[in-house]
Amino acid sequence: DTGVSQNPRHKITKRGQNVTFRCDPISEHNRLYWYRQTLGQGPEFLTYFQNEAQLEKSRLLSDRFSAERPKGSFSTLEIQRTEQGDSAMYLCASGDWRGGEKLFFGSGTQLSVL
Amino acid sequence: QKEVEQNSGPLSVPEGAIASLNCTYSDRGSQSFFWYRQYSGKSPELIMSIYSNGDKEDGRFTAQLNKASQYVSLLIRDSQPSDSATYLCAVSTGGFKTIFGAGTRLFVKA
């Protein structure tokens, strides 16, 4: 059990550029979540997958955000045409039936949009 | 109305005292309740889960749930400086979607 891995740890980009983040969940965890966290706030739910199926996406999430989980293993989160308001920590978490609804978080990707 | 509400604090307690953290939630259909601890610059880590009304104890931590009042709390006994962190209340409605509160910052003074 190597934990949830996220890459890159930091990303600095210019407004208008596209960025992609990767998350490798704990092996055999069938559920994978993406959250966004800004300073002083709790994690904000973005989307989650059970295996390769994206079961829910936040209504607050712009169409510029898209996530995939091909083959039910790793996941990618892409943000197109980034805006300064997208600057945040993007957290990935995973879980499985043995842990109920407990979430195990990765270290996150800190995005800064200049 | 936010789905999960917490007092943002900071809550300051002396070493050895009991720290009491509170949380209310809006969805009466919520079934699972969690407390996560987040140190500055780190990711959240689960410290307690509770699913039925009453108290659940784990070491120095006690989680309390009152579904009728839609209220969850976390007590930390014999608080230590190492307990200084942000404590996040999280609630799930049973569809595996977990919603977090904004967190309460706790400072334990040596």
Side-chain angles (χ1 to χ4, degrees):
Chain A
D1 185 346
T2 58
V4 179
S5 177
Q6 291 189 247
N7 287 288
R9 291 294 306 276
H10 305 275
K11 179 70 177 178
I12 300 174
T13 191
K14 292 183 179 180
R15 188 176 53 183
Q17 299 294 305
N18 299 344
V19 294
T20 301
F21 311 140
R22 176 178 170 126
C23 172
D24 288 89
I26 294 172
S27 59
E28 299 179 357
H29 276 191
N30 63 340
R31 299 199 311 278
L32 186 148
Y33 299 75
W34 285 100
Y35 286 86
R36 175 173 62 189
Q37 187 175 28
T38 54
L39 199 62
Q41 298 299 313
E44 174 193 4
F45 173 83
L46 296 180
T47 188
Y48 93 93
F49 294 83
Q50 182 154 309
N51 299 314
E52 66 274 11
Q54 186 174 17
L55 296 188
E56 187 163 350
K57 183 176 177 180
S58 171
R59 291 173 304 214
L60 302 176
L61 205 58
S62 161
D63 289 343
R64 296 183 296 105
F65 288 71
S66 62
E68 294 182 342
R69 193 184 183 196
K71 303 179 182 178
S73 54
F74 72 92
S75 176
T76 58
L77 176 69
E78 181 183 19
I79 309 174
Q80 296 182 327
R81 304 181 303 282
T82 53
E83 303 173 355
Q84 289 185 324
D86 297 331
S87 296
M89 175 71 80
Y90 289 83
L91 294 166
C92 176
S94 70
D96 74 346
W97 63 270
R98 291 169 295 182
E101 296 171 78
K102 300 172 187 176
L103 299 180
F104 298 84
F105 282 86
S107 298
T109 294
Q110 180 67 53
L111 173 65
S112 298
V113 182
L114 305 179
Chain B
Q1 180 188 12
K2 292 184 179 178
E3 293 180 79
V4 180
E5 296 212 43
Q6 298 181 250
N7 186 327
S8 62
L11 173 65
S12 183
V13 299
E15 184 175 0
I18 295 175
S20 178
L21 305 163
N22 305 313
C23 169
T24 59
Y25 59 94
S26 60
D27 188 342
R28 284 195 171 275
S30 300
Q31 299 181 8
S32 306
F33 306 86
F34 307 91
W35 284 97
Y36 286 78
R37 178 177 61 199
Q38 186 172 28
Y39 290 113
S40 181
K42 301 295 185 182
S43 296
E45 58 175 332
L46 180 71
I47 54 171
M48 288 289 288
S49 58
I50 187 166
Y51 304 97
S52 55
N53 282 330
D55 295 358
K56 179 182 178 183
E57 187 174 320
D58 184 359
R60 296 185 296 110
F61 298 99
T62 299
Q64 299 174 317
L65 173 62
N66 184 326
K67 290 186 178 180
S69 300
Q70 296 175 244
Y71 178 86
V72 193
S73 67
L74 178 70
L75 300 178
I76 306 174
R77 290 182 300 282
D78 188 24
S79 296
Q80 301 297 308
S82 59
D83 294 327
S84 298
T86 296
Y87 289 81
L88 299 163
C89 175
V91 175
S92 175
T93 57
F96 296 110
K97 175 182 174 181
T98 301
I99 301 299
F100 287 80
T104 298
R105 292 167 56 201
L106 172 66
F107 291 106
V108 181
K109 299 173 294 184

